[in-house]
């Protein structure tokens, strides 16, 4: 093994796992102790990762307070070490972590607020996609339309929560001062998070029919099954109008037929 | 719906020998609206690794007006783990799309065994580490099919294992891997204070033909009862002592494209532009002397 590799492992153990004594002999002792010098790197790493979490989870941070957020972040960083040099990939398990983090057990809605923020982060950076190719869709024989599998825009996500997480999120703007007390008993929300043409992120609470329809599409169901699920969820659902609406909004963007004789009608990224 | 996503005409492809500024999300609107009179812009490559969305759309708009430099902070170049192929692939795609004049990374490592510290960590300056870095820089340049610049970092400790000075290590790396040097004058100053070496010795050891870019930034002083450690925080104006060292660097190297970096606690854009104008004045003197 490379000496350099052993040496890097020793440094990492000293900074992250507190194994300082074993590594101290590698550090030139001049003026300050090796402990204090390693502490600078421990701080830098923690600040770098905590800032990444703060950028993705500003509302969770506001809900629990800055000091507690830093404490929770330190615990998260320890349990879920960073696995990439790109900090945008860090923090994916934060909602699951909060769900099992004893000190916030009473804040039952907190993990769902974190899920909303992670979805926002993903939608923010998701790929572009051209609108649905209506002409290609018209070319599908009517008798086969039920087999179509529609897909959502890469920058569209669905989220369900038994808590009013959208109202909680909206009530916690980063610079907000008016805080209104939200009654958790006011109920949950089916939420669509999507990026509009101006690249702004929008939240749309969905009725049962809309949610069932889009959810079925996102899950890869055939259109006939998706329609059935929508009508089961909401008996008075105006399916043709609502489906056209989601196509026009750019939320439903592509489709394919599970048949080699019909190539995938997906124009992908505009060129 | 995607009228805006049609790639705009790319702006100039080479970096002028002037001052540029680092572009951060906080300044997107101000830069697009006011088009500040700076020579070029630099961004952190990883901030544009997403598949789409606002950062890339903004970069496309600013790229139509400014030459661009891509500065990486997360490749973990000096790690003994294999290079992250997906990280490099994203970088390559970014280069293809935006045709930056300069692409840079750091003389550092940041991960081992798949565990990332997400910080710029110093290497021991040994023959073994030098061989390793030469190989890694060559790999990156092969994958990207272009030359990259390597930047000296600030450090807060020195290793007993080092047998070379950092300046010899950096100069030999550039010589043998065929990369360029991004000389961070603030980092030289910070490390010189932290380790007690003469920053001029560092400056004089780097051959001028290797240096294609200079960085300037602000640092923070961590004071203790028994002394202080300078931390490279990029959240302050450039320190007067660093300006003085920069003047000497320009005298030694000749005029070099110079970047004002400011990455946290960002002030108004005008403050960065003011710092860039200060660097421009020093570069002008350098040009006059060279003429």
């Amino acid at each position: 093994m490379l000496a350099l590799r052993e040496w890097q492992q020793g440094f990492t153990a000293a900074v992250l796992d507190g194994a300082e004594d074993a590594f101290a002999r590698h550090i030139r002792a001049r003026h300050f102790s090796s402990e204090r010098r390693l502490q600078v790197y421990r701080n830098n790493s923690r600040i770098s990762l905590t800032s990444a979490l703060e950028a993705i989870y500003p509302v969770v941070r506001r809900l629990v307070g800055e000091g507690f957020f830093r404490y929770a972040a330190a615990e998260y960083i320890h349990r879920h070490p960073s696995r990439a040099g790109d900090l945008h990939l860090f923090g994916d398990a934060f909602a699951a972590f909060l769900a099992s983090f004893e000190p916030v057990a009473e804040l039952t809605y907190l993990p769902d607020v974190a899920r909303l923020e992670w979805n926002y982060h993903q939608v923010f950076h998701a790929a572009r996609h051209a609108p649905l190719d209506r002409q290609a869709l018209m070319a599908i024989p009517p008798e086969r339309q039920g087999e179509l599998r529609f897909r959502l825009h890469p920058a569209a996500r669905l989220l369900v929560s038994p808590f009013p997480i959208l109202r909680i999120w909206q009530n916690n703007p980063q610079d907000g001062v008016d805080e209104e007390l939200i009654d958790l008993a006011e109920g949950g929300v089916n939420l669509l998070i999507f990026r509009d043409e101006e690249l702004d992120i929008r939240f749309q609470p969905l009725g049962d029919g809309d949610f069932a329809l889009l959810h079925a599409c996102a899950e890869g169901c055939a259109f006939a099954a998706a329609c059935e699920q929508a009508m089961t969820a909401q008996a008075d659902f105006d399916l043709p109008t609502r489906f056209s609406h989601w196509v026009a909004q750019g939320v439903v963007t592509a489709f394919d037929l599970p048949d080699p004789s019909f190539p995938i009608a997906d124009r992908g990224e505009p060129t | 719906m995607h009228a805006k996503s049609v790639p705009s005409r790319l702006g100039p492809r080479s970096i002028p020998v002037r001052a540029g500024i680092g572009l951060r999300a906080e300044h997107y609107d101000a830069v697009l609206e006011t088009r500040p009179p700076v020579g070029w812009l630099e961004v952190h490559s990883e901030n544009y690794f997403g598949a789409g969305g606002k950062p890339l759309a903004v970069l496309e708009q600013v790229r139509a007006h400014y030459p661009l430099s891509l500065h990486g902070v997360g490749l973990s170049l000096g790690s003994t783990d294999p290079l992250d192929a997906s990280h490099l692939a994203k970088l390559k795609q970014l280069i293809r799309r935006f045709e930056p004049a300069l692409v840079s990374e750091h003389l550092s490592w940041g991960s081992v065994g798949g565990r990332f510290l997400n910080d710029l960590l110093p290497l021991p300056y040994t023959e073994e580490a030098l061989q390793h870095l030469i190989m890694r820089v060559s790999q990156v340049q092969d994958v990207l099919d272009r030359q990259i610049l390597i930047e000296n970092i600030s450090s807060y400790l020195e290793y007993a294992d080092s047998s070379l000075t950092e300046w010899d290590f950096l100069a030999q790396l550039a010589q043998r891997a065929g990369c360029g040097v991004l000389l961070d004058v603030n980092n030289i100053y910070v490390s010189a204070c932290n380790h007690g070496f003469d920053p001029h010795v560092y400056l004089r050891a780097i051959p001028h033909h290797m240096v294609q870019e200079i960085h300037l930034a602000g640092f923070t002083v961590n004071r203790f009862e028994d002394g202080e450690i300078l931390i490279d925080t990029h959240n302050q104006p450039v320190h007067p002592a660093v300006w003085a060292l920069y003047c000497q660097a320009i005298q030694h190297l000749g005029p070099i494209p110079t970047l004002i970096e400011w990455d946290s606690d960002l002030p108004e854009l005008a403050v960065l532009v003011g710092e860039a104008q200060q660097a421009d004045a020093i570069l002008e003197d350098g040009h006059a002397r060279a003429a």
Side-chain angles (χ1 to χ4, degrees):
Chain A
M1 194 184 345
L2 282 171
L4 180 59
R5 182 159 187 83
E6 265 178 67
W7 179 96
Q8 289 180 338
Q9 287 163 340
F11 182 101
T12 305
V15 170
L16 297 184
D17 308 328
E20 296 185 351
D21 292 349
F23 194 73
R25 67 187 166 88
H26 293 291
I27 296 170
R28 201 169 281 174
R30 212 186 59 84
H31 200 80
F32 291 123
S33 64
S34 57
E35 287 77 18
R36 194 184 288 170
R37 293 179 180 280
L38 287 168
Q39 184 61 35
V40 174
Y41 288 100
R42 193 171 295 127
N43 284 345
N44 283 356
S45 178
R46 187 179 41 78
I47 290 169
S48 160
L49 291 164
T50 302
S51 307
L53 291 176
E54 285 171 344
I56 298 171
Y57 299 103
V59 177
V60 170
R61 177 173 178 241
R62 197 172 125 81
L63 288 167
V64 301
E66 208 174 308
F68 185 85
F69 188 90
R70 278 202 294 269
Y71 163 64
E75 196 56 34
Y76 177 77
I77 293 162
H78 179 66
R79 292 194 207 170
H80 300 268
S82 172
R83 295 280 166 200
D86 175 4
L87 281 167
H88 295 91
L89 303 175
F90 184 65
D92 59 329
F94 197 53
F97 161 79
L98 290 173
S100 66
F101 191 44
E102 181 58 28
V104 290
E106 283 183 17
L107 304 181
T108 45
Y109 54 88
L110 198 62
D112 279 357
V113 175
R115 281 170 63 211
L116 186 153
E117 294 199 285
W118 181 254
N119 275 280
Y120 181 104
H121 174 63
Q122 295 216 292
V123 165
F124 185 82
H125 292 288
R128 299 179 294 178
H129 201 290
L132 187 128
D133 185 345
R134 286 171 188 266
Q135 283 195 325
L137 183 58
M138 306 277 256
I140 304 290
E143 69 275 13
R144 299 212 56 194
Q145 284 175 358
E147 297 168 53
L148 287 168
R149 289 168 205 275
F150 288 95
R151 290 201 302 276
L152 305 191
H153 192 287
R157 296 284 191 291
L158 296 164
L159 193 59
V160 188
S161 173
F163 304 106
I165 52 169
L166 179 57
R167 294 240 300 121
I168 293 171
W169 190 89
Q170 286 168 336
N171 199 35
N172 278 278
Q174 284 161 50
D175 54 351
V177 274
D178 318 273
E179 233 175 315
E180 163 196 6
L181 212 56
I182 294 174
D183 184 0
L184 291 184
E186 72 181 59
V189 64
N190 294 331
L191 201 57
L192 170 69
I193 305 166
F194 76 105
R195 198 175 65 201
D196 67 16
E197 293 170 37
E198 299 300 312
L199 303 177
D200 291 321
I201 313 292
R202 298 189 172 277
F203 295 95
Q204 173 104 51
L206 299 178
D208 292 338
D210 278 324
F211 181 79
L213 177 69
L214 295 180
H215 184 258
C217 292
E219 294 288 300
C221 291
F223 190 53
C227 293
E228 198 180 311
Q229 286 177 31
M231 296 312 295
T232 306
Q234 187 181 334
D236 65 346
F237 187 56
D238 181 1
L239 205 145
T241 307
R242 297 306 295 166
F243 186 74
S244 297
H245 169 77
W246 295 122
V247 170
Q249 290 281 303
V251 171
V252 173
T253 50
F255 63 87
D256 49 36
L257 260 186
D259 181 333
S261 62
F262 287 88
I264 293 171
D266 180 356
R267 289 186 288 177
E269 282 203 19
T271 49
Chain B
M1 103 182 237
H2 287 277
K4 272 191 183 166
S5 57
V6 174
S8 8
R9 200 174 54 80
L10 290 172
R13 281 172 175 77
S14 66
I15 300 275
V17 184
R18 285 183 56 195
I21 59 171
L23 174 64
R24 307 290 301 190
E26 289 87 335
H27 289 149
Y28 280 171
D29 291 343
V31 166
L32 289 174
E33 282 160 22
T34 67
R35 297 248 202 97
V38 294
W40 50 288
L41 297 174
E42 182 168 280
V43 297
H44 286 184
S45 312
E46 290 81 1
N47 288 341
Y48 301 85
F49 274 11
K54 210 165 241 175
L56 287 164
V58 170
L59 193 58
E60 206 157 68
Q61 290 180 58
V62 299
R63 180 67 184 91
H65 303 289
Y66 293 95
L68 179 71
S69 163
L70 290 180
H71 184 52
V73 297
L75 186 59
S76 193
L77 189 63
S79 171
T80 51
D81 280 356
L83 276 167
D84 181 342
S86 103
H87 191 108
L88 270 181
K90 287 176 189 168
L91 180 57
K92 185 163 183 161
Q93 200 180 348
L94 206 56
I95 291 169
R96 213 176 269 150
R97 179 163 169 188
F98 291 101
E99 300 183 14
L102 299 171
V103 175
S104 52
E105 251 292 349
H106 293 87
L107 182 62
S108 70
W109 64 288
S111 61
V112 70
R115 249 200 322 178
F116 281 73
L117 287 91
N118 298 90
D119 189 21
L120 303 170
L121 307 173
L123 289 153
Y125 301 124
T126 61
E127 281 298 332
E128 184 205 15
L130 180 58
Q131 290 300 334
H132 181 64
L133 264 285
I134 291 167
M135 182 192 73
R136 298 277 279 200
V137 169
S138 304
Q139 281 177 356
V140 172
Q141 293 187 141
D142 284 350
V143 171
L144 300 180
D145 195 22
R146 63 174 295 152
Q147 190 192 41
I148 61 170
L149 311 185
I150 299 298
E151 177 186 352
N152 58 299
I153 60 167
S154 284
S155 63
Y156 316 111
L157 51 74
E158 289 183 297
Y159 300 114
D161 317 59
S162 291
S163 54
L164 296 163
T165 59
E166 183 177 295
W167 47 92
D168 284 342
F169 191 96
L170 181 58
Q172 285 202 45
L173 173 63
Q175 171 70 33
R176 290 160 69 179
C179 59
V181 169
L182 193 181
L183 202 62
D184 189 315
V185 173
N186 179 60
N187 288 346
I188 292 179
Y189 182 80
V190 165
S191 293
C193 292
N194 287 342
H195 309 314
F197 63 77
D198 178 357
H200 304 95
V201 172
Y202 200 132
L203 280 184
R204 284 194 294 270
I206 306 296
H208 64 89
H209 68 270
M210 289 177 177
V211 183
Q212 298 182 35
E213 182 183 347
I214 287 178
H215 272 182
L216 294 172
F219 59 80
T220 300
V221 181
N222 273 14
R223 290 196 171 79
F224 305 98
E225 275 178 19
D226 51 348
E228 56 189 37
I229 297 183
L230 272 51
I231 312 281
D232 178 34
T233 44
H234 297 188
N235 63 350
Q236 315 257 341
V238 177
H239 191 276
V242 175
W243 280 120
L245 189 59
Y246 172 65
C247 288
Q248 285 156 339
I250 297 303
Q251 278 176 25
H252 166 63
L253 300 165
I256 305 275
T258 300
L259 186 87
I260 303 295
E261 283 186 297
W262 202 315
D263 294 318
S264 57
D265 308 328
L266 272 99
E268 281 181 25
L269 182 62
V271 176
L272 268 77
V273 174
E275 297 264 289
Q277 282 164 349
Q278 201 168 333
D280 269 332
I282 294 165
L283 288 170
E284 285 293 323
D285 281 354
H287 282 297
R289 241 193 319 275

